[in-house]
Amino acid sequence: MLDKLNFIKQRFDEVSDLIIQPDIMSDQKRYIELSKEYKDLKAIMDEREAYIELKNNLEEAEEIISNESDQEMVDMAKLQYDEAKDELPKLEEKIRMMLIPKDPEDAKNAVVEVRAGAGGDEASIFAGDIFRMLSKYCEHKGWKVDVVDYSEGTNGGYKEIQFEVSGEDVYGTLKYEAGVHRVQRVPQTETQGRVHTSAATVMVFPEAEEFDVEVNPKDVRIDYFCSSGPGGQSVNTTYSAVRLTHEPTGIVAQCQDQKSQHKNKEKAFRVLRSRLYEMELAKKQAEDAEKRGSMVTSGDRSAKIRTYNYAQSRVTDHRINLTLYDLDNIINGDIEKIINELKLVDNTEKLKNISDDL
């Protein structure tokens, strides 16, 4: 493992030198890429130092135990030896996980869409529940949530809602929430007390930077219209909402959240770029998932990923057969434990594929 870490140190030293070069600093795309790589490599270098220290402690203790005649020194060396022997496998496992190649998309911000599926009004109410669950989780992580567009349900919730999330490693975390979420419960509108099943679909796109996707303005039709949501009289009387149609693909992106037409247009363009970027990314993810045989991050929007059963207070994630009887906390945003389990399974699969190199 030390050989591998020393090889990575060569790259770390190279990147450290590159990011202070004037030509790199003037190239925004290259500078951002190298800064992210530097941050990831720096974390591995910190663990390399800890690994070297443990190996040295182990060798030093072995030397003392073999050659020292002072019993007190030998006893201390044995303690040092046992401690290092215990910590080394844990550190090696941690480093192996860190050495798994990172998806460059993972560090990006995300655009998230929640859409009501089958189930009428109850599906819209459930879509609202999923939006609140994800929002509360994001707030707990210290991420910023910014609504872009929405269409309210007739009895509450949303037919669909779209929002941006910005922070650290947002897409790499929220991508595990993409898919069909299913609920089993007695709807508020049900008078007979019968349990209904309805669903909401979550889509998660990495937010594309301007240099990730070039959108030709000639390919985009721009329409302005009156916003329909809350926000005062001006919302319904000024053409502040913006709808963009990318004519070569037919992709539509719109924003009506801001009072400013300019801000809505800016947001809509960010969403349009992300949708175009996601089209290409989805093809790659499908190919990768087919190669790996993984359902954890397959990008399959039609895949049923999770069921929320209210009668049993049960939440089941079908990708990893994980069942938790903690529905109240989970639907209120406490999904960290589920995401951590999904990440662990995903990383373990990746580790199997590269274990020969470590």
Side-chain angles (χ1 to χ4, degrees), residues 16-32:
S16 301
D17 182 57
L18 281 171
I19 58 174
I20 59 172
Q21 300 300 322
D23 59 326
I24 296 292
M25 295 176 78
S26 62
D27 182 344
Q28 188 189 21
K29 182 178 180 180
R30 184 77 176 124
Y31 181 73
I32 288 173

Side-chain angles (χ1 to χ4, degrees), residues 5-239:
L5 290 172
N6 287 338
F7 179 75
I8 290 170
K9 186 178 185 302
Q10 292 177 17
R11 176 59 182 167
F12 175 70
D13 292 340
E14 184 183 341
V15 171
S16 301
D17 182 57
L18 281 171
I19 58 174
I20 59 172
Q21 300 300 322
D23 59 326
I24 296 292
M25 295 176 78
S26 62
D27 182 344
Q28 188 189 21
K29 182 178 180 180
R30 184 77 176 124
Y31 181 73
I32 288 173
E33 287 173 351
L34 285 171
S35 295
K36 287 175 181 174
E37 185 180 359
Y38 175 85
K39 183 183 172 186
D40 291 339
L41 292 175
K42 177 69 169 64
I44 296 172
M45 288 302 98
D46 290 344
E47 298 305 331
R48 173 183 173 273
E49 292 303 313
Y51 183 76
I52 290 170
E53 186 179 344
L54 271 181
K55 292 284 278 187
N56 289 341
N57 288 348
L58 202 60
E59 290 172 10
E60 181 185 45
E62 286 174 336
E63 179 76 18
I64 292 170
I65 292 166
S66 299
N67 302 314
E68 182 60 57
S69 56
D70 186 326
Q71 190 57 43
E72 190 176 344
M73 288 287 288
V74 170
D75 290 342
M76 287 176 65
K78 283 180 178 177
L79 284 173
Q80 180 174 306
Y81 178 87
D82 290 342
E83 186 179 320
K85 198 78 173 171
D86 183 55
E87 288 298 318
L88 206 56
K90 297 175 189 174
L91 184 58
E92 286 177 342
E93 183 63 22
K94 183 179 180 182
I95 291 170
R96 281 192 186 94
M97 286 294 181
M98 293 177 79
L99 291 179
I100 294 170
K102 281 197 171 184
D103 185 336
E105 313 304 325
D106 284 356
K108 292 181 182 287
N109 295 330
V111 176
V112 184
E113 290 185 13
V114 182
R115 291 183 180 175
D121 288 343
E122 167 63 5
S124 294
I125 293 167
F126 180 54
D129 293 339
I130 294 297
F131 166 65
R132 281 186 292 276
M133 178 185 80
L134 295 176
S135 296
K136 287 183 179 181
Y137 174 68
C138 292
E139 287 164 14
H140 173 72
K141 297 284 284 185
W143 297 338
K144 184 185 176 189
V145 175
D146 202 3
V147 173
V148 175
D149 191 34
Y150 61 89
S151 173
E152 293 179 324
T154 52
N155 272 316
Y158 300 95
K159 291 177 183 175
E160 64 179 86
I161 183 164
Q162 185 179 85
F163 55 102
E164 295 175 319
V165 184
S166 51
E168 190 170 334
D169 295 328
V170 172
Y171 177 72
T173 302
L174 289 183
K175 68 182 181 182
Y176 294 99
E177 291 301 294
V180 177
H181 295 243
R182 188 177 70 157
V183 66
Q184 295 171 329
R185 66 184 176 190
V186 178
Q188 298 170 14
T189 52
E190 170 60 56
T191 56
Q192 304 293 321
R194 292 171 298 192
V195 173
H196 285 224
T197 297
S198 51
T201 300
V202 176
M203 289 173 279
V204 184
F205 315 136
E207 187 175 81
E209 308 284 352
E210 285 191 45
F211 46 69
D212 288 329
V213 177
E214 280 190 35
V215 179
N216 188 337
K218 293 179 181 177
D219 291 336
V220 180
R221 188 177 79 241
I222 305 175
D223 297 308
Y224 301 101
F225 59 100
C226 294
S227 296
S228 58
Q233 292 179 337
S234 63
V235 172
N236 298 314
T237 57
T238 61
Y239 285 79

